[in-house]
Amino acid sequence: NILLVTHIAPDGDAIGSITAMAQMLEELGVENLLLACDDPAKVKHDFIPMFDRITADIDRITAFQPDLVIILDCSDERRGGKVFQAALSGSPIVVNIDHHITNLKFANHNLVRIDAASTTQIIYDLLLDWRIDLSQDIATSLLTGLVTDTLCFRTSNVTPRVMQVASELMSAGVSLSFITERTVNRRPVEAVQYWATQLGTLQLEDRIVWTYATKDMRRRSRFKSTGDASLVTLLNTVWEADMAASFVETGDNQVEVSLRAKRGYDVSGVAYDLGGGGHPAAAGCTIAGPLDSAIQLVLGKLRDAWSDQTG
Ligand code: 5GP
Ligand code: MN
């Protein structure tokens, strides 16, 4: 019995890597397979093959009694959420496949490649090793992870090899423009309205730009999901800033922190120090409130990191 798990608040690489691995294992003849993720995946991911087989049902996971758990795109155990905790009760073998620089290598077997632009890029190399035919459906899962984690091939970890992998995936019949349309180029109007609310708080100081959303702002917004609706990616386009941060106060007085850095800067250390993780250019953590002190704590650490990283 093999359980595949990916992280809370899943993104395209999370859903892409879990569904690609599932298809590959089925291709190898694995019959008892369960896909799990704490949060219901977003509707925008519903074009990804096997999307509707992902469960958050703890009872189902406990009853399944996995012998092997493969956790994907998670730098630490907490990212696996409740489904991962439930899966551990029968002491299965755990395999950790990931590309975060902050990965804690917490499993029995750790395949961590920080050179990979997405976890799906690692899985593509496994597909080649295992000599599995690249179907259009597997390629759809894999290319989704590559597109979303590189913001459509715009991040500094996009190498010639990444473009080659993307080209090979497109050659399997996947439309790149369809994937970008579904995952990056469209968002619900509620997300943009929520951006407007948050943007009213924008401040720029010492080449760091940031916004926040209080509990009330969050509640009044009609945006359904958690977090900042990816506003931090927009903040990171501010010419005059080298680092960007967004802060969202949650119902239980925690603060969700999203961090981004321009080329040549690294915010993963700040997130890691605060119990989170990520990549040099994109990282995050959740810390204790109240909002004001959380903001001051993070800004202080970002200023220190900026000074260290500015020659
Ligand atoms: P985002 O700002 O889009 O939520 O996250 C950006 C990056 O930081 C992603 O690669 C994500 O995996 C990582 N990240 C965000 N929040 C956390 C967290 O609480 N813990 C860890 N380990 N990584 C996080
Ligand atoms: Mn990823």
Side-chain angles (χ1 to χ4, degrees):
N1 291 355
I2 303 181
L3 178 75
L4 303 175
V5 175
T6 194
H7 59 80
I8 55 177
D11 54 17
D13 195 29
I15 304 299
S17 49
I18 190 177
T19 57
M21 184 57 96
Q23 294 172 80
M24 285 161 53
L25 291 175
E26 286 198 339
E27 202 57 40
L28 291 176
V30 174
E31 285 171 5
N32 294 328
L33 201 58
L34 194 63
L35 291 76
C37 175
D38 251 19
D39 301 307
K42 297 179 185 116
V43 175
K44 72 175 180 186
H45 296 133
D46 70 0
F47 70 93
I48 301 175
M50 294 181 93
F51 164 88
D52 51 8
R53 282 190 38 191
I54 303 172
T55 181
D57 185 341
I58 300 292
D59 291 341
R60 234 180 115 188
I61 290 158
T62 314
F64 184 67
Q65 296 194 326
D67 307 294
L68 172 65
V69 177
I70 307 176
I71 177 165
L72 299 145
D73 202 36
C74 293
S75 61
D76 59 47
E77 293 173 271
R78 265 196 304 145
R79 292 287 283 169
K82 297 191 194 80
V83 291
F84 185 61
Q85 282 314 310
L88 295 182
S89 63
S91 303
I93 296 168
V94 180
V95 173
N96 157 24
I97 303 179
D98 185 38
H99 68 132
H100 291 93
I101 192 168
T102 56
N103 193 287
L104 295 179
K105 305 194 176 154
F106 53 87
N108 300 102
H109 303 280
N110 303 284
L111 176 54
V112 179
R113 273 184 43 200
I114 63 170
D115 65 296
S118 64
T119 297
T120 61
Q121 188 187 342
I122 305 172
I123 295 172
Y124 180 62
D125 282 341
L126 290 176
L127 174 134
L128 298 178
D129 278 356
W130 297 350
R131 298 179 202 286
I132 294 172
D133 285 339
L134 180 64
S135 67
Q136 188 178 335
D137 276 357
I138 295 177
T140 299
S141 293
L142 294 173
L143 190 56
T144 300
L146 208 49
V147 164
T148 56
D149 263 29
T150 62
L151 304 172
C152 304
F153 308 104
R154 288 186 294 155
T155 52
S156 58
N157 56 0
V158 174
T159 58
R161 174 64 186 156
V162 169
M163 300 310 291
Q164 187 186 4
V165 170
S167 164
E168 287 166 14
L169 296 175
M170 288 175 73
S171 299
V174 185
S175 162
L176 176 62
S177 66
F178 172 75
I179 290 176
T180 56
E181 171 94 0
R182 287 298 301 262
T183 56
V184 183
N185 287 352
R186 299 181 85 125
R187 52 178 55 81
V189 67
E190 291 82 5
V192 182
Q193 287 164 336
Y194 180 37
W195 282 4
T197 315
Q198 296 178 80
L199 282 169
T201 71
L202 184 144
Q203 296 187 63
L204 171 67
E205 210 179 293
D206 299 333
R207 298 198 64 84
I208 300 168
V209 63
W210 76 94
T211 59
Y212 62 82
T214 63
K215 239 184 311 188
D216 276 351
M217 288 161 63
R218 183 73 192 79
R219 205 176 299 126
R220 278 199 305 271
S221 112
R222 290 181 299 132
F223 180 65
K224 301 281 188 308
S225 198
T226 56
D228 66 350
S230 302
L231 176 62
V232 73
T233 304
L234 179 67
L235 296 181
N236 199 36
T237 63
V238 170
W239 188 278
E240 294 81 0
D242 299 318
M243 294 177 174
S246 77
F247 301 90
V248 176
E249 192 181 30
T250 66
D252 51 357
N253 291 314
Q254 301 277 103
V255 180
E256 295 173 342
V257 184
S258 284
L259 305 174
R260 296 292 184 273
K262 293 273 196 332
R263 203 181 135 82
Y265 288 87
D266 182 344
V267 288
S268 65
V270 172
Y272 183 78
D273 283 351
L274 294 167
H279 309 284
C285 56
T286 299
I287 58 177
L291 183 60
D292 279 351
S293 49
I295 292 175
Q296 290 316 316
L297 174 70
V298 174
L299 289 180
K301 285 184 181 291
L302 287 177
R303 279 187 211 106
D304 290 347
W306 185 89
S307 300
D308 288 347
Q309 294 166 21
T310 303

